[in-house]
């Protein structure tokens, strides 16, 4: 029997306890032995809840108990998660975590400690919640040079953009709705500014390149500037606006970007709506692949955390190798990537064509004083140079 | 350095050699050591091809060479693949295979031999080509009770149905086109009659249930009966017809079915077109997930075969546990599954309503002497009982 300690009894933590309980028998079959939750670390008490008998308030109880071989970190944030996880690994206990902030910052160090001790540090749910993308990159796509990873990695913003599209609603209104539904937090900054998606694409780019990507270096734009009018333009072009986290291999190296992008029906992520997430991957041999599922939510995320535990139990004396060295990956300028650009501008057509040459115009009924413009494909550096010739640009949105 | 022998230098075999060559460096990094192809077993010679120096015609050379630790079987068919694979495993060599016929028939026995010898028998590409569904079921979805697996598992028929839909063409015409394009074989029976999809859903159902599913017991209907007129009815209902391989857990056990099904835009497999494959999975905790990619094709399939080799190398003294016992799984009657049904019938409305109660009618301009009927949801047993009351049914297609 494997004894587990759970750090944090919030949404994901309580989900892990629930999955372990509901699917006890099938999990024991897959893991080859029974899994038992021994401790739950939380500052709070839960009187009346059966979990109360497992609650401890002192981490020393867990880290010093030789019976505990697996620690599940579900607290979130960098501290004290980092200290607790590192101490667990140093004490020879394998760790499963859902904490993207922890993994984006300290991934290579924690992976190295686990490798040195022949134990495991798994973090499937740090990106894509219930979608098995980390394990897929680590164990399934190993024969490929991955040339492109593009994901809808944040459920809150995808829900908001879906509502804005379906209801022709403005950002502020759908944000209130999302908060009322529990899909957005009281302080939605990390989601709507793209910071959450940024950490996740940093993790994926690190895994794809095998080197450490500093998330602070990734150009990140959120969806706070997206208006109902932008979505009307997108609709007129038979496109939708999605917050994409994109990483691609160019001749100058990997470049990464988080930004709202207009995508067409042909794009594999076009139909990913509501709180769902999906990750598109292009390999030089595999071609296109796409992985879709619940990117967040208590039970889907907890299910994937428990799958990490099962993998840890199946590899009790065998480190599952993860290629992510602490060596920093210098990112190429994201403006080297080539795509089309959409802009709304009050410039006259002659000026637009002087700047961009042949373009497609998009005019919305009832909208005057501006025109929508869809450029040809070019690098973003080229776009910037050309756009400098115009004075009336109100908005630029990338197009794929 | 790991020395590999390849059995069969056809489409997939030559693809494996190509992937090993083109991505040599990145594969060596992921595997932790270099992979070298030592032998290629084929009846033919390839004079002028650099592969010729590795060609052997006698399997004894391979099975008796202690330097060979990994055998890749890419011959297809049950024999001599079974004999060769079994002898390789008994000689302590791990095996990666893309052979669905071999895996569907002999999976549990070959898995057991590998387990007993602490080596590996991997078969990722036997289902879904380049889509990592086997490893996902085995290592990622282990915390869930999988309640439903539905796949578009055959690229040939998906290509044909896509063409029929886009061009309003008849089966015979698109079959000729598919053959000319190399997407269908000269004898297309295994694809168009659903036999290929049947073996694949048998493998997936075995992995999900942990027991051996006999593919001969799965009700299998192909697409040979699908006419342009059926697709016109589907379009009128804003649906598409897809050949689905479906397996679901009911109160009486798992039931499986391969058949053309009309699916709506809300269905996750609606947008899977051309030769692409996709597999939808519903877990009791995870909820919905979907995995999409190239279900066939030389390089995508070869890429996944090589990923199996990398996994074998990473697990050189560690059997990757696969839960698939030889104990036979009794399948429940597929007619217990509940869905809606579409029928084309010449019966009068009064008779249709006497049989089925409330229905939706679908009438196509220019089509007389019959009407399209969409029933409410019911079990197929119930459908059969009710349909017996009509005399003019020309076609029934399931609807989801």
């Amino acid at each position: 029997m494997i004894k587990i300690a759970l750090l944090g009894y919030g949404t994901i933590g309580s989900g892990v306890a629930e999955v372990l309980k509901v699917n006890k028998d099938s999990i024991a079959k897959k893991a080859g032995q029974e899994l038992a939750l021994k401790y739950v670390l939380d500052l709070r008490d839960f009187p009346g809840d059966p979990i109360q008998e497992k609650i401890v308030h002192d981490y020393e109880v867990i880290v010093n108990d030789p019976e505990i071989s697996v620690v599940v970190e579900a607290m979130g944030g960098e501290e004290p998660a980092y200290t607790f996880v590192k101490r667990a690994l140093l004490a020879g206990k394998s760790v499963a975590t859902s904490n993207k902030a922890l993994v984006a910052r300290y991934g290579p160090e924690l992976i190295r400690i686990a490798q040195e001790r022949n134990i495991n540090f798994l973090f499937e749910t740090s990106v894509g919640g219930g979608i098995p993308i980390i394990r897929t990159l680590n164990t399934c796509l190993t024969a490929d040079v991955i040339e492109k990873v593009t994901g809808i990695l944040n459920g809150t913003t995808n829900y908001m953009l879906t509502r804005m599209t379906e209801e022709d609603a403005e950002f502020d209104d759908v944000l209130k709705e999302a908060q009322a539904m529990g899909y957005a937090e009281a302080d939605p900054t990390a989601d709507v500014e793209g910071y959450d998606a940024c950490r996740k694409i940093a993790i994926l780019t690190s895994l794809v390149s095998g080197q450490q990507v500093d998330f602070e270096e990734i150009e990140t734009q959120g969806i706070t500037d997206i208006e109902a009018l932008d979505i009307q333009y997108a609709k007129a072009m038979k496109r939708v606006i999605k917050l994409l986290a994109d990483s691609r291999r160019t001749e100058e190296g990997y470049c990464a970007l988080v930004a709202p992008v207009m995508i067409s029906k042909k794009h594999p992520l076009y139909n990913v709506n509501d709180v769902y997430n999906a990750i598109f991957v292009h390999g030089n041999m595999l071609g296109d692949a796409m992985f879709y599922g619940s990117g967040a939510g208590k039970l889907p995320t907890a299910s994937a955390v428990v799958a990490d535990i099962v993998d840890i139990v199946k590899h009790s004396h065998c480190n599952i190798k993860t290629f992510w060295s602490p060596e920093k990956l210098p990112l190429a300028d994201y403006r080297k990537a080539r795509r089309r650009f959409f802009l709304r501008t009050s410039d006259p057509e002659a000026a637009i064509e002087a700047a961009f040459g042949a373009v497609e115009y998009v005019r919305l009924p009832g909208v005057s004083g501006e025109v929508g413009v869809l450029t040809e494909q070019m690098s973003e550096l080229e776009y910037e140079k050309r756009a400098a010739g115009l004075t009336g640009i109100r908005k630029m949105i990338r197009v794929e």
Side-chain angles (χ1 to χ4, degrees), chain A residues 22-144:
Chain A
V22 176
N23 285 348
K24 192 172 194 280
D25 296 340
S26 75
I27 291 168
K29 200 173 148 192
K30 300 277 173 67
Q33 55 190 308
E34 212 179 306
L35 308 190
L37 188 58
K38 184 170 181 182
Y39 301 119
V40 176
L41 180 77
D42 205 289
L43 293 173
R44 299 163 293 176
D45 281 304
F46 298 87
D49 186 322
I51 208 71
Q52 179 61 37
E53 63 185 48
K54 297 177 176 164
I55 292 283
V56 294
H57 302 299
D58 181 4
Y59 182 59
E60 301 304 322
V61 176
I62 291 169
V63 77
N64 293 321
D65 185 341
E67 267 199 352
I68 295 294
S69 55
V70 183
V71 171
V72 175
E73 188 274 303
M75 297 185 295
E78 291 186 15
E79 280 297 350
Y82 169 64
T83 303
F84 288 178
V85 166
K86 189 173 172 178
R87 287 192 61 200
L89 292 169
L90 289 170
K93 302 175 194 306
S94 288
V95 172
T97 181
S98 58
N99 185 336
K100 67 194 163 287
L102 174 74
V103 175
R105 178 86 71 186
Y106 301 106
E109 182 193 0
L110 300 170
I111 287 168
R112 184 184 48 77
I113 297 175
Q115 274 172 358
E116 285 168 2
R117 276 158 186 74
N118 214 25
I119 55 177
N120 284 291
F121 172 66
L122 299 183
F123 47 91
E124 181 59 71
T125 49
S126 63
V127 181
I131 306 171
I133 184 63
I134 305 279
R135 202 171 272 108
T136 295
L137 288 175
N138 264 347
T139 68
C140 302
L141 308 185
T142 50
D144 272 66

Side-chain angles (χ1 to χ4, degrees), chain A residues 29 210 257 269 314 317 330 353:
Chain A
K29 200 173 148 192
L257 172 70
L269 301 177
K314 284 165 76 178
H317 301 290
E353 285 160 35

Side-chain angles (χ1 to χ4, degrees), chain A residues 343 347 355-356 381-393:
Chain A
L343 46 152
D347 287 289
F356 286 102
L381 286 169
E382 175 87 13
Y383 166 81
E384 287 182 356
K385 217 166 68 182
R386 289 168 179 259
L390 298 180
T391 55
I393 296 180

Side-chain angles (χ1 to χ4, degrees), chain A residues 221-397:
Chain A
Q221 296 170 19
I223 64 164
T224 50
D225 282 345
I226 301 295
E227 304 160 65
L229 189 55
D230 299 322
I231 291 182
Q232 282 176 43
Y233 277 108
K235 281 185 187 173
M237 294 185 286
K238 297 198 171 159
R239 291 169 189 270
V240 291
I241 300 178
K242 295 288 183 191
L243 182 65
L244 299 188
D246 182 89
S247 176
R248 56 183 80 181
R249 199 163 166 266
T250 69
E251 281 175 14
E252 287 93 9
Y254 287 90
C255 56
L257 172 70
V258 175
V261 179
M262 288 184 174
I263 59 177
S264 75
K265 214 175 169 172
K266 291 269 176 200
H267 197 292
L269 301 177
Y270 178 86
N271 267 302
V272 178
N273 289 317
D274 299 317
V275 293
Y276 282 96
N277 280 200
I279 299 119
F280 167 83
V281 179
H282 182 86
N284 71 335
M285 295 289 138
L286 182 72
D288 293 348
M290 202 262 281
F291 309 93
Y292 167 95
S294 297
K298 178 176 171 169
L299 291 178
T301 306
S303 152
V305 171
V306 175
D308 269 354
I309 302 176
V310 170
D311 220 14
I312 285 172
V313 173
K314 284 165 76 178
H315 288 83
S316 60
H317 301 290
C318 176
N319 174 262
I320 303 165
K321 213 153 181 194
T322 302
F323 294 91
W324 182 352
S325 89
E327 190 190 344
K328 191 172 153 179
L329 182 79
L331 289 177
D333 187 344
Y334 73 95
R335 294 172 304 169
K336 293 274 175 79
R338 290 172 62 84
R339 40 171 75 87
R340 299 177 78 179
F341 297 86
F342 169 80
L343 46 152
R344 287 167 44 199
T345 179
S346 59
D347 287 289
E349 288 188 14
I352 294 166
E353 285 160 35
F356 286 102
V359 296
E360 289 172 35
Y361 291 106
V362 191
R363 290 183 177 83
L364 294 184
V367 175
S368 61
E370 69 169 51
V371 64
V373 176
L374 183 60
T375 74
E376 294 293 293
Q377 195 173 78
M378 61 189 75
S379 76
E380 194 152 336
L381 286 169
E382 175 87 13
Y383 166 81
E384 287 182 356
K385 217 166 68 182
R386 289 168 179 259
L390 298 180
T391 55
I393 296 180
R394 292 175 182 170
K395 179 74 64 76
M396 181 276 276
I397 299 175

